[in-house]
Amino acid sequence: MSSTARAALAGEWDRCRWIWNECCAKSKQTRLWNRDRPEGTDKRTCGPAQLDKMLTEARTGNTWLRDGSSVAQQQVIRDFGKSRAKAQQDIKDRLPVRQRAGMPKWKKKREALPSLNYTQRGFSLKDGRLHLAGGIVLTVVWSRNLPADPSSVRVHQDSLGHWYCSFVVPAEVEPLPETGAVIGVDWGVRETATTTSDDHDLPHAEHGKKAAAGLARYQRMMARRQPAKGKPGSKGYQAARRHVAKLHRKVARQRQDTGRKWAKSVVRDHDALAVEDFRPKFLAKSTMARKAADAAIGAAKTALIEMARKHGRAVHLVHPAHTTMDCAQCGARTKHALPLSERTYACTACGAVSPRDKNSAHVMLARAGLNPAGADRGRPGQAPPGPAA
């Protein structure tokens, strides 16, 4: 990318960041007014209409804002509105505080990474170049050809200073030959994924553990060169920061690559997947937080679901409640939750003995209705429920 284009993108981001912060200030002002408003006065709103009016007034009296693209600035308001609506909906649903999205926060100059969104009227593709509103021209290094005309594009910068363009295009389904096989997937920490097929288990790759020594070294360098609050870091500090970001990016890509390769093999060999709808966020506050983060369960789950949808495979998301307590053979449930140290499941009703995670993977099949011989949350003598919709 040329220095001219880089400077133009930085200037565009400065304007968009200013608008985002103005939206935050307007939203906070509205909340305080509604909380302390005099009796008999109506509540104020801070929706897209009010923010659009604020943007129009700001552009009218500010030449600096008018020099930027109105498309990117309007998209900032749309993104702010979605974030604010999501936070308000979480409050209405009375979700626990740790599960709420949270109100949009201020974006600081030295901390927030640039991100610009353009709708179809704000960009065009000519001769392999990306032309953005405002006269910004980017020479793109294409990773692959676009399958269709894009409806929008997001130009963003990562922690290493590299710029990327993400295009939104219609998804295409690429069907694979039918195999007649089904599989159940149970997520864990000892093994990232345990399945009903021994050939498709995903062992813990420990990418983060292998990079821990180098990461600790560069983090100590950052700590020694930490700048005073409110002052920019030295060249040595910035170099150490780039090394840390580079290692984090490498580990993230290794986890992503491992998850995608495993997902492709699972999807290629099976027509239907019963996947535990496991959300590993709560593990972040447990004693297994570091190992769970290194396992990257969320990334592997996302890769599996996306790969299955891409190739037209059926995906059944199974609720994880009591999956470790039920017997995959007869459906009996233990009276007490099994401790994590107990890795073998022994059914007291039918006498079946199997590895704990393997039993849970077979329970996934039964609950999804993919295993006619299995049972779901039943007791001995009860008929299993029908297949999942």
Side-chain angles (χ1 to χ4, degrees):
M1 182 186 296
S2 65
S3 58
T4 303
R6 192 178 292 108
L9 289 175
E12 198 69 66
W13 168 241
D14 287 340
R15 299 181 184 92
C16 291
R17 187 176 59 83
W18 184 87
I19 293 172
W20 177 279
N21 292 340
E22 285 295 306
C23 291
C24 290
K26 182 73 172 178
S27 177
K28 183 177 181 179
Q29 182 182 5
T30 303
R31 291 199 306 270
L32 294 177
W33 163 264
N34 291 333
R35 186 190 65 184
D36 303 329
R37 73 183 190 278
E39 294 184 4
T41 57
D42 297 332
K43 283 188 176 182
R44 294 181 180 178
T45 59
C46 185
Q50 289 75 22
L51 295 178
D52 281 338
K53 182 178 179 181
M54 180 197 71
L55 176 61
T56 302
E57 294 175 353
R59 286 177 61 88
T60 300
N62 194 324
T63 307
W64 175 66
L65 277 181
R66 286 202 306 272
D67 291 340
S69 168
S70 62
V71 176
Q73 296 172 12
Q74 288 173 349
Q75 286 303 116
V76 169
I77 292 179
R78 300 294 176 269
D79 294 340
F80 178 86
K82 291 178 182 178
S83 300
R84 187 171 179 271
K86 178 64 169 61
Q88 291 176 336
Q89 187 62 41
D90 289 348
I91 295 174
K92 289 181 180 179
D93 294 342
R94 297 184 177 181
L95 293 178
V97 176
R98 64 179 183 275
Q99 296 182 9
R100 294 178 186 175
M103 284 293 181
K105 298 181 180 179
W106 293 66
K107 293 188 176 181
K108 299 181 181 179
K109 182 176 182 179
R110 294 191 179 93
E111 297 179 5
L113 295 174
S115 178
L116 304 170
N117 295 322
Y118 295 87
T119 56
Q120 200 165 18
R121 66 188 182 91
F123 75 97
S124 62
L125 294 171
K126 298 178 183 178
D127 300 328
R129 291 187 174 187
L130 176 62
H131 296 254
L132 301 176
I136 304 175
V137 182
L138 306 177
T139 302
V140 182
V141 179
W142 299 95
S143 60
R144 57 184 178 272
N145 294 328
L146 295 175
D149 293 334
S151 59
S152 64
V153 62
R154 175 174 172 255
V155 183
H156 60 99
Q157 187 184 36
D158 66 1
S159 57
L160 294 176
H162 302 158
W163 286 89
Y164 294 90
C165 301
S166 300
F167 295 90
V168 177
V169 296
E172 292 185 352
V173 179
E174 303 174 5
L176 290 173
E178 295 186 2
T179 63
V182 296
I183 190 172
V185 181
D186 176 74
W187 306 109
V189 176
R190 178 170 293 185
E191 284 189 341
T192 303
T194 303
T195 68
T196 52
S197 170
D198 293 338
D199 296 334
H200 294 85
D201 290 346
L202 179 61
H204 196 315
E206 297 185 342
H207 294 302
K209 185 177 180 180
K210 295 172 184 176
L215 185 61
R217 176 192 171 194
Y218 293 123
Q219 286 177 335
R220 286 194 297 267
M221 291 172 59
M222 286 183 62
R224 288 195 301 267
R225 301 165 184 179
Q226 181 76 26
K229 187 175 181 180
K231 294 185 179 180
S234 63
K235 290 183 179 180
Y237 174 81
Q238 296 297 339
R241 187 192 63 80
R242 283 193 297 271
H243 282 301
V244 171
K246 206 170 185 179
L247 264 180
H248 278 301
R249 174 53 61 89
K250 179 182 178 181
V251 172
R253 285 176 172 172
Q254 286 176 328
R255 291 169 178 164
Q256 189 180 54
D257 180 67
T258 300
R260 285 180 175 176
K261 288 178 179 177
W262 169 76
K264 185 60 180 266
S265 66
V266 172
V267 170
R268 183 183 61 242
D269 298 337
H270 302 88
D271 292 341
L273 291 74
V275 182
E276 181 185 12
D277 193 12
F278 181 68
R279 300 182 182 181
K281 187 176 180 179
F282 76 95
L283 290 174
K285 295 184 178 181
S286 68
T287 57
M288 299 181 296
R290 179 173 296 182
K291 190 170 184 179
D294 197 8
I297 298 174
K301 176 186 171 185
T302 301
L304 182 62
I305 295 175
E306 289 179 352
M307 193 69 68
R309 290 173 176 171
K310 176 182 178 181
H311 295 292
R313 300 304 201 193
V315 180
H316 302 263
L317 295 178
V318 180
H319 196 281
H322 308 297
T323 52
T324 59
M325 300 171 61
D326 291 356
C327 177
Q329 300 296 326
C330 66
R333 179 175 298 170
T334 58
K335 294 182 179 179
H336 305 286
L338 301 178
L340 288 175
S341 59
E342 190 173 339
R343 306 311 303 171
T344 302
Y345 182 90
C347 180
T348 57
C350 65
V353 179
S354 64
R356 172 184 177 140
D357 294 337
K358 285 290 182 182
N359 177 77
S360 298
H362 283 281
V363 170
M364 302 300 163
L365 282 179
R367 290 194 179 185
L370 302 177
N371 184 11
D376 176 26
R377 296 192 300 272
R379 296 293 181 183
Q382 291 182 348

